[in-house]
Amino acid sequence: MAQPDSKKIFFENLSGAGKAIAVLTSGGDAQGMNAAVRAVVRMGLYVGAKVYFIHEGYQGMVDGGENIREATWESVSSMLQVGGTVIGSARCKEFRSHEGRLKAAHNLVQRGITNLCVIGGDGSLTGANLFREEWSGLLGELVEQGAIEEDSVQKYSALHIVGMVGSIDNDFCGTDMTIGTDSALHRIIEVVDAIMTTAQSHQRTFVLEVMGRHCGYLALVSALACGADWVLIPEMPPEDGWEEKMCQKLSATRSRGTRLNIIIVAEGAIDRHGKPITSSFVKDLVVKCLGFDTRVTILGHVQRGGTPSAFDRILASRMGVEAVLALLETTANTPACVVSLCGNQSVRLPLMECVQMTQEVQKAMDQKRFEEAVKLRGRSFENNLRTYKLLAHRKPESELPTSNFNVAVLNVGAPAAGMNAAVRSAVRVGISEGHKMFAVSDGFEGFYKGQIKEIKWADVGGWTGQGGSLLGTKRTLPAKHVDKIAEQMRMHNINALLVIGGFEAFLSLLELLTARGKYDEFCVPMVMVPATVSNNVPGSDLSIGADTALNAITTTCDRIKQSASGTKRRVFIIETMGGYCGYLASVGGLAAGADAAYIYEESFDIRDLQANVEHLTEKMKTSIQRGLVLRNENCNDNYTTDFIYQLYSEEGRGVFDCRKNVLGHMQQGGAPSPFDRNFGTKISAKAMQWITKKLSETFRQGRVFANSEDTCCLLGMRRRALVFQPVVQLKGETDFVHRIPQEQWWLKLRPLMKILAKYKTSYDVSDSGQLEHVLRTRPKESDASVAM
């Protein structure tokens, strides 16, 4: 397939020839570990290194023998979708002793291994760093014992370590997300969504206990994602007297007509005096004080299990490739590093800086410095906690500021999962800021028809888990009806607009900006939050809804590939949505382990198609049983899905047969993923806070008048930060004909998919991490956990 031009391709200069890399998974297991192992093995082999599996973690390294085996390309086939870790993980007391590390060093030197990729938690990574520091001394001892030759000390003088954090708790400082966290959130949210239906039927209260002995991330984010009434986490114990406050809140919620209550408890939850708060204690409290029918559900190891989410597969694949690059570039003086994620970017951080900060969190909690513990957890954790408090705890009317501003919120374009979470967040934050919130039904079509009504706090209860758009959404643009919309703005005294939608929302703001010259009604703060499965909005790396669509594609591809299990060799041609934007096909292809993905942004011709068929034919003859090819719906007018299906069927005759599947609107449907719920919630809250600020700045002489460019913005995720950008400035970055940004960050991920599918290609490493420091990784505006 043709390659995009790049001025910064340095990959050809990197070579792993003569290097031996070993990969191990240690400590607990986490979904996505297998994707990381697969990426390390295939990238290592791709650059010419020898790659070894170390089975059973450090125990396998100490025991040696069959536990340390050379890996082949085929040995990591069909493991991308498998949860846990196929190479095993074990706690190892022996490795903690000097004698155990001596045995491990001997086993590695025997195989010439001096590069270790460790996937585990802070304990596993700390152990690896100690091993590295002792390495030369261990080799000296082995020479004295006659276990190795003296020249081995010179030949294998330095041990290089790169870590990746695999932990569902997301308790490691320095990275926004650890491998396995997103999948664990999927398991939790699936249970919560299921529980909500039975709880509503019986008017029950459910107390859910989730994992997190020392870290409340899972509890906090799942509470944010499902709109839980109360959450209890170790980093922020409730104030004394919390029992009464919680019961008052539950009672007030019921009195407003809500039929259920959800309380989420982290397994390590404590009160201000360090006393554990258990799920059974919370249940007994609710029964005793309120008499509510209350049940406890302890999720346990369900959270560790199951298939990894699309996010975790992509994260682990990116980290695995980055880890190999880091090992290739390392020198004797390079400190052990950990590959991390900041915003939407891979970074490398000194391993021990991250470990020390992680330990600082626990120290702060032990010493009851809880505010400091929350700050040390990082900006992502802080933002999650702040947003949860803002949305879950309604202040009494008497305590709310009175701004006398009216803010309208509407959805524009096609529906996207997560839109409802964004609307809920906007409404509740707006009310908390003292505004009167108005909901517009059916986008700008409903706007000019006057389908506008006030929306209250309780009206958006339970919206976070609902798919589609409860407000209704249309693709209608405002320009043709601008006079009627202006009239409605005047009638309802609308002082600001929040538009949640895709490319049509972007076009709408441009049209309203132009209309300011004729209608003063549009001289108000206007902001757009991107929400579209296509992820084609300029000014933002990510859009609400795209993650849910990726999970739908990945799950379907898994099932389709499984359907061929036990049959003859088969290739599947899958058509994805996205208009002219190839995001879903490309990133979905990376998550599903596709052999090729055809997109509009990367032109291809019949020669490329033929080369792909031949490549797949060769692979089918030797090893793999199933092939997967994705095609973006508008990638080419002539090379249609039918054409590609017929071409593969004909050219593969005698080697494999072919099937095709058009995924269609299933990619837009379903309950939103945890990522989309939280992204929608946090980005919308930030947009409302911007509106409040702009309303204050532009209120003069008894009215709002905003006509500058910076009062009509798009809020988007750019690399590491959430940024407000005037829409007029984004015009120059936009291909309006094909409705896509002119530059798209995810095109840099396409070579990863090809490398992992055994294609020879060029890889742009210009973004690969230079070693940074933990405290410098997050700029002021960064909002972590909106990373991909």
Side-chain angles (χ1 to χ4, degrees):
M1 227 182 285
Q3 292 297 311
D5 292 331
S6 173
K7 295 174 184 173
K8 296 181 179 176
I9 291 176
F10 306 115
F11 184 66
E12 290 87 343
N13 302 327
L14 296 170
S15 171
K19 290 201 174 190
I21 299 170
V23 59
L24 69 146
T25 53
S26 177
D29 64 313
Q31 308 97 317
M33 278 184 165
N34 289 324
V37 170
R38 172 180 177 267
V40 169
V41 169
R42 291 196 167 176
M43 190 64 170
L45 294 173
Y46 186 85
V47 297
K50 268 191 172 184
V51 187
Y52 291 86
F53 290 135
I54 299 179
H55 291 265
E56 312 307 332
Y58 286 117
Q59 191 65 56
M61 196 190 294
V62 171
D63 294 344
E66 279 297 299
N67 288 304
I68 305 175
R69 286 180 237 163
E70 193 169 344
T72 64
W73 195 275
E74 289 73 28
S75 59
V76 290
S77 293
S78 302
M79 66 191 285
L80 191 59
Q81 69 274 20
V82 179
T85 165
V86 299
I87 59 173
S89 180
R91 313 274 178 192
C92 180
K93 283 185 180 177
E94 204 174 347
F95 188 76
R96 293 177 192 170
S97 69
H98 183 80
E99 192 58 40
R101 292 192 291 277
L102 192 66
K103 287 182 188 175
H106 185 220
N107 288 326
L108 295 187
V109 170
Q110 280 184 316
R111 295 163 179 81
I113 298 168
T114 55
N115 297 280
L116 273 186
C117 187
V118 181
I119 308 165
D122 60 337
S124 303
L125 298 179
T126 305
N129 192 61
L130 175 63
F131 190 39
R132 171 184 166 275
E133 287 171 350
E134 291 182 347
W135 182 256
S136 57
L138 293 171
L139 295 196
E141 284 184 54
L142 290 170
V143 169
E144 286 174 21
Q145 293 174 6
I148 61 172
E149 298 296 326
E150 209 162 311
D151 63 344
S152 295
V153 177
Q154 191 65 35
K155 193 175 178 184
Y156 306 119
S157 59
L159 179 68
H160 305 295
I161 304 280
V162 172
M164 286 183 274
V165 189
S167 164
I168 67 165
D169 290 335
N170 202 31
D171 57 353
F172 192 80
C173 292
T175 187
D176 291 347
M177 287 288 267
T178 55
I179 296 167
T181 303
D182 187 69
S183 300
L185 285 170
H186 273 259
R187 300 294 93 77
I188 295 168
I189 294 305
E190 284 162 11
V191 171
V192 172
D193 286 352
I195 277 174
M196 277 183 159
T197 56
T198 182
Q200 281 180 324
S201 302
H202 297 275
Q203 294 194 58
R204 278 186 178 141
T205 296
F206 267 88
V207 182
L208 259 79
E209 184 182 301
V210 301
M211 281 184 163
R213 217 172 318 154
H214 306 293
C215 178
Y217 185 89
L218 288 178
L220 177 57
V221 175
S222 53
L224 201 55
C226 71
D229 296 278
W230 204 268
V231 65
L232 294 156
I233 59 173
E235 291 88 347
M236 189 50 69
E239 301 288 346
D240 289 347
W242 65 272
E243 298 93 338
E244 188 180 343
K245 284 181 184 172
M246 183 185 78
C247 290
Q248 283 173 353
K249 180 168 189 249
L250 298 180
S251 181
T253 310
R254 283 292 176 94
S255 67
R256 289 195 292 268
T258 304
R259 292 178 60 86
L260 79 158
N261 299 111
I262 300 285
I263 301 164
I264 296 184
V265 183
E267 62 179 331
I270 53 172
D271 65 17
R272 289 270 154 180
H273 310 287
K275 182 184 171 189
I277 300 174
T278 64
S279 49
S280 57
F281 173 81
V282 175
K283 177 207 165 184
D284 294 343
L285 178 69
V286 174
V287 172
K288 180 184 170 187
C289 296
L290 299 173
F292 290 173
D293 185 2
T294 307
R295 298 284 191 275
V296 172
T297 298
I298 299 173
L299 267 62
H301 283 74
V302 164
Q303 295 156 88
R304 281 194 190 280
T307 301
S309 66
F311 184 102
D312 272 329
R313 298 185 198 195
I314 296 157
L315 175 67
S317 299
R318 288 177 72 180
M319 283 186 167
V321 167
E322 184 70 24
V324 172
L325 293 178
L327 285 171
L328 293 183
E329 293 167 11
T330 194
T331 65
N333 301 319
T334 308
C337 77
V338 61
V339 178
S340 300
L341 195 73
C342 182
N344 194 30
Q345 204 174 3
S346 294
V347 293
R348 298 177 197 169
L349 300 170
L351 191 154
M352 289 317 293
E353 277 187 26
C354 298
V355 168
Q356 282 156 13
M357 185 167 278
T358 304
Q359 291 167 350
E360 281 296 315
V361 178
Q362 193 56 51
K363 274 186 202 168
M365 287 162 62
D366 292 343
Q367 294 168 11
K368 299 185 171 55
R369 293 180 282 117
F370 298 114
E371 297 282 350
E372 191 180 335
V374 168
K375 281 189 170 63
L376 287 167
R377 278 272 180 241
R379 193 168 290 272
S380 167
F381 195 93
E382 263 190 291
N383 285 338
N384 283 321
L385 187 56
R386 194 183 307 116
T387 308
Y388 176 77
K389 285 178 178 176
L390 202 59
L391 297 174
H393 301 295
R394 184 182 184 181
K395 292 178 183 174
E397 297 285 338
S398 57
E399 291 180 27
L400 290 174
T402 49
S403 70
N404 297 319
F405 291 124
N406 295 346
V407 181
V409 58
L410 65 158
N411 294 335
V412 176
M419 274 183 164
N420 298 319
V423 172
R424 169 185 176 268
S425 175
V427 168
R428 292 197 168 178
V429 172
I431 291 169
S432 296
E433 308 258 321
H435 309 315
K436 191 180 276 190
M437 298 300 296
F438 287 83
V440 182
S441 299
D442 297 336
F444 283 106
E445 189 173 309
F447 211 136
Y448 82 79
K449 290 177 179 176
Q451 294 169 214
I452 305 165
K453 64 177 183 180
E454 189 179 351
I455 187 165
K456 301 288 185 72
W457 185 282
D459 295 337
V460 291
W463 279 32
T464 49
Q466 301 289 317
S469 166
L470 293 172
L471 286 185
T473 182
K474 295 281 178 74
R475 295 181 184 271
T476 308
L477 297 177
K480 287 182 183 176
H481 310 283
V482 75
D483 52 339
K484 291 179 182 176
I485 293 169
E487 187 184 333
Q488 292 295 334
M489 294 273 287
R490 188 167 56 253
M491 281 172 58
H492 292 89
N493 189 28
I494 301 298
N495 305 118
L497 277 182
L498 172 60
V499 182
I500 301 165
F503 202 84
E504 286 87 359
F506 173 62
L507 294 176
S508 297
L509 280 202
L510 288 172
E511 290 183 359
L512 294 181
L513 187 66
T514 303
R516 278 179 172 178
K518 191 175 177 184
Y519 300 94
D520 281 356
E521 286 81 2
F522 299 119
C523 293
V524 296
M526 296 185 280
V527 64
M528 174 196 162
V529 168
T532 167
V533 299
S534 302
N535 199 32
N536 64 329
V537 177
S540 189
D541 291 354
L542 300 169
S543 298
I544 298 165
D547 183 70
T548 304
L550 279 177
N551 277 289
I553 291 166
T554 306
T555 303
T556 307
C557 287
D558 287 351
R559 288 175 180 171
I560 286 170
K561 286 199 290 184
Q562 192 181 43
S563 73
S565 180
T567 65
K568 58 185 177 179
R569 293 182 173 92
R570 183 164 286 168
V571 173
F572 297 93
I573 315 295
I574 312 289
E575 183 185 299
T576 67
M577 292 175 85
Y580 285 97
C581 180
Y583 176 82
L584 290 179
S586 296
V587 182
L590 181 59
D595 296 279
Y598 300 111
I599 62 170
Y600 166 77
E601 293 91 342
E602 195 173 291
S603 59
F604 58 96
D605 57 25
I606 194 67
R607 291 181 294 273
D608 298 311
L609 289 168
Q610 185 63 35
N612 292 153
V613 175
E614 289 170 4
H615 181 80
L616 203 45
T617 304
E618 284 305 307
K619 282 168 72 176
M620 286 282 189
K621 284 177 180 174
T622 55
S623 57
I624 66 165
Q625 296 291 314
R626 289 155 289 181
L628 184 65
V629 175
L630 270 60
R631 177 189 177 275
N632 166 245
E633 58 184 350
N634 287 347
C635 67
N636 190 289
D637 289 340
N638 297 311
Y639 300 134
T640 62
T641 302
D642 281 337
F643 178 90
I644 292 172
Y645 162 70
Q646 288 165 0
L647 176 71
Y648 273 74
S649 296
E650 180 61 31
E651 297 299 316
R653 196 187 296 273
V655 179
F656 59 80
D657 67 1
C658 231
R659 296 288 185 274
K660 66 176 176 179
N661 198 304
V662 178
L663 300 185
H665 283 76
M666 62 161 284
Q667 295 156 86
Q668 280 183 337
S673 67
F675 183 97
D676 278 329
R677 297 182 195 202
N678 287 306
F679 187 32
T681 298
K682 287 195 284 188
I683 196 171
S684 201
K686 198 173 183 74
M688 277 307 304
Q689 288 164 338
W690 177 89
I691 281 175
T692 299
K693 180 170 172 260
K694 289 297 175 186
L695 283 169
S696 173
E697 289 173 2
T698 57
F699 186 70
R700 299 286 180 274
Q701 298 173 338
R703 63 169 289 197
V704 173
F705 188 79
N707 66 347
S708 58
E709 286 182 0
D710 68 345
T711 58
C712 184
C713 284
L714 179 146
L715 175 55
M717 178 71 186
R718 301 299 288 257
R719 291 166 72 87
R720 301 192 190 188
L722 283 171
V723 185
F724 290 95
Q725 306 143 97
V727 290
V728 71
Q729 292 179 15
L730 294 172
K731 286 172 76 173
E733 299 180 22
T734 308
D735 174 352
F736 285 96
V737 175
H738 298 101
R739 298 159 57 89
I740 53 174
Q742 288 180 352
E743 288 189 17
Q744 302 188 86
W745 69 273
W746 51 264
L747 285 168
K748 290 185 177 180
L749 298 184
R750 282 184 62 77
L752 295 193
M753 183 191 74
K754 294 173 187 177
I755 287 167
L756 298 176
K758 215 172 184 178
Y759 283 92
K760 284 291 176 190
T761 187
S762 298
Y763 180 47
D764 181 350
V765 297
S766 59
D767 269 355
S768 281
Q770 298 300 312
L771 201 63
E772 299 184 18
H773 294 281
V774 180
L775 295 176
R776 296 179 196 158
T777 57
R778 292 185 177 87
K780 191 178 177 185
E781 287 295 308
S782 175
D783 183 358
S785 103
V786 289
M788 177 61 76

